[in-house]
Amino acid sequence: MFFYLKITYFTNQNRTERIMVFEFNFNSDIPKYQQLVNAVNDALANNSIGSGDPLPSVNSMVKEYSLSRDTVFKAYSILKENGVIESVPNKGYFVANDTKKVLLVLDTFKAYKEVLYHAFVNNLPKNIIVDVQFHHYKINNLKTILNNSKGKYYKYVVMGFDNKGVAPILADIEKDKLLLIDWNINADSDYNYVFQDFGQAFMEALKPALPALKKYKRLVFIYPSFTNHPYETVTYFKAFSEANNLNFKIVTEAEAFVVKKGEAYVSVSDRILGTFLEQCRLKNYEPGTDAGFLSYNETPMKPFIYKGISVISTNFKAMGAAAASFINTDKSLQLYIPTQLTLRDSL
C-alpha cells in the first residue's frame, strides 16, 4: 500500500507542492513508526524534501492515514532526536537544515578503526548523520545491512572483505553513492575508493627497518589462523626477507607462539603483541634488545605501551578524512593512503 504525503508551503505568495511517496506495509514485521521514520529518511536521500519543508501534523497523519497518535508521535520524536526534523511551537514539524544520513559499514570495532571513524565524522558538516554498522566478515550480515539500507542513505561507505558474495551485494548500490575503503578486493575499477596497499607498499615500508631487523638471528612473521588480515602481506614479507638474506619463519598457530631470545616478531594481531609482552615479562627479556616486535596497524596507545611499540601502518586518520571528502563533494575519488614505518624501542 502506498501513501502520498503532500507537502505544501508558500514562498513569496506562490503556492508550491511537493509529493513524498513511500510504501507502508501493514503486514510488515517493521513497526509502523519505523516505517514512517524510514519514509522521511528516504525522501531526504532522494531529495523529495529538503531544509525547511513542513511535515504533516500528527493530527492529519492520524486522520488521513489511519495511524495511531502514538505511532506518529514516536516516529517524529525519533527523527527529532536524530536531528532530522525540528518542531516549532504552534507551527508543527519541519525538515532541519538539509540533514542527510550516511551509512558507514566497518568489519569490526578495533582501536585503529576508532581513529578512522572519528576522523571521518569530524570532517563532516553538522547536517550529516552517520549510522555505523559492522559485518564481522560475515556475508549474510553485510547482505542484511545493505539490503535494509537501500534508498535510506545519501551515501554509503563500506569496508569490504574476501568473499565472492560481496561483489553482487555492492552492485545493487549506485556507484556514485558508494565509497569502498581499506582493502582493494571485490571492487570494480570504476568504483570510488580509499584503500591501503597490503603488499608492495608494506614491503617498501619495511626497508628503513632493515638495520634494526638485522640485530636478530631470525625474523618471525606470526599470521594467526583467526586473523582476517590479507595474506598478501605474508607473501611480500617472504620476498623482503629473501631479498635481504634474512633468516625467517612463518607461524600460523598462535597457541604455539613462544618468545625466544634473539628473535624479532612481526604480527598483524594485537593479541599476539599482548602475548609477546607477557612472555617477555615472565622471562625477564628486554623488548627491543633480547627480542624485538613490529606490530601492524597504529593505535593511539602503541606509542605508550612499554617504551613504545614499533608499527607499520597506513594512516587511518588520513583515510577517514579522505572518506569524508567523498561525502562532502559530488566528485569521484580513487586514492591509496601510504603505508609507513614508525620505529620505537620494541625493535
Side-chain angles (χ1 to χ4, degrees):
M1 181 176 183
F2 287 90
F3 280 77
Y4 298 84
L5 300 187
K6 183 166 63 176
I7 301 170
T8 304
Y9 63 97
F10 297 88
T11 305
N12 295 329
Q13 297 182 343
N14 293 321
R15 186 172 185 273
T16 305
E17 291 184 350
R18 289 187 184 181
I19 304 296
M20 180 170 68
V21 182
F22 70 99
E23 184 175 0
F24 198 88
N25 185 354
F26 284 99
N27 296 318
S28 173
D29 291 333
I30 301 174
K32 295 182 181 68
Y33 74 85
Q34 187 61 54
Q35 292 189 53
L36 183 53
V37 169
N38 294 345
V40 174
N41 286 329
D42 291 350
L44 283 166
N46 61 34
N47 295 316
S48 296
I49 57 176
S51 178
D53 285 351
L55 294 179
S57 68
V58 174
N59 287 338
S60 64
M61 288 291 289
V62 170
K63 181 178 179 180
E64 297 182 32
Y65 304 111
S66 301
L67 299 173
S68 73
R69 178 176 295 276
D70 287 344
T71 293
V72 180
F73 186 76
K74 185 172 183 178
Y76 281 6
S77 296
I78 291 172
L79 290 166
K80 187 176 178 180
E81 288 174 6
N82 290 339
V84 177
I85 66 174
E86 57 188 6
S87 61
V88 178
N90 302 318
K91 291 188 177 180
Y93 294 90
F94 299 84
V95 177
N97 301 321
D98 280 333
T99 301
K100 295 178 179 178
K101 294 187 71 177
V102 170
L103 179 63
L104 175 63
V105 183
L106 301 177
D107 44 21
T108 58
F109 189 80
K110 294 182 179 179
Y112 59 91
K113 303 292 173 57
E114 186 176 5
V115 172
L116 185 156
Y117 168 77
H118 284 297
F120 179 64
V121 172
N122 291 340
N123 282 279
L124 294 174
K126 293 182 178 180
N127 67 316
I128 299 292
I129 297 172
V130 179
D131 285 346
V132 184
Q133 297 201 47
F134 301 91
H135 56 62
H136 299 286
Y137 299 100
K138 297 184 183 298
I139 194 64
N140 287 337
N141 287 354
L142 181 66
K143 185 175 182 179
T144 298
I145 290 168
L146 294 183
N147 283 349
N148 290 342
S149 71
K150 286 181 182 177
K152 298 175 184 177
Y153 292 90
Y154 171 59
K155 288 185 178 179
Y156 302 77
V157 179
V158 179
M159 187 174 287
F161 60 104
D162 188 8
N163 188 296
K164 293 181 179 179
V166 171
I169 296 173
L170 295 178
D172 283 342
I173 303 175
E174 297 176 55
K175 287 186 176 180
D176 62 340
K177 291 187 175 184
L178 174 64
L179 178 73
L180 302 181
I181 59 173
D182 196 43
W183 189 2
N184 183 8
I185 191 165
N186 301 306
D188 292 343
S189 60
D190 57 345
Y191 273 121
N192 293 292
Y193 61 77
V194 179
F195 290 145
Q196 62 170 305
D197 180 4
F198 293 93
Q200 184 66 36
F202 164 73
M203 187 167 68
E204 291 298 319
L206 276 176
K207 290 180 180 180
L210 191 57
L213 295 173
K214 285 187 172 181
K215 295 189 307 181
Y216 301 93
K217 296 177 182 179
R218 184 165 66 171
L219 187 56
V220 181
F221 195 117
I222 304 170
Y223 184 84
S225 56
F226 57 74
T227 186
N228 288 287
H229 188 96
Y231 193 79
E232 179 184 13
T233 301
V234 177
T235 301
Y236 276 83
F237 167 80
K238 290 179 180 178
F240 172 83
S241 300
E242 290 169 352
N244 291 282
N245 297 314
L246 297 174
N247 181 20
F248 72 94
K249 180 182 179 181
I250 310 298
V251 174
T252 58
E253 296 180 3
E255 61 276 8
F257 171 47
V258 177
V259 177
K260 296 180 180 180
K261 186 175 288 189
E263 291 188 344
Y265 304 93
V266 181
S267 183
V268 298
S269 169
D270 286 348
R271 206 183 306 178
I272 298 298
L273 171 59
T275 301
F276 169 81
L277 292 172
E278 177 65 13
Q279 290 193 25
C280 283
R281 185 183 66 83
L282 293 173
K283 296 181 178 183
N284 200 29
Y285 287 174
E286 179 70 19
T289 301
D290 298 315
F293 201 94
L294 178 60
S295 180
Y296 215 106
N297 294 322
E298 180 71 290
T299 69
M301 290 304 299
K302 285 180 182 176
F304 309 104
I305 295 175
Y306 194 67
K307 297 178 182 179
I309 304 300
S310 296
V311 296
I312 193 162
S313 178
T314 193
N315 187 329
F316 289 100
K317 186 175 181 179
M319 184 177 289
S325 73
F326 173 76
I327 306 300
N328 296 334
T329 69
D330 293 325
K331 297 178 181 179
S332 59
L333 178 62
Q334 294 187 329
L335 177 67
Y336 270 87
I337 304 295
T339 299
Q340 297 177 328
L341 172 75
T342 303
L343 283 175
R344 301 187 180 112
D345 286 353
S346 70
L347 202 61

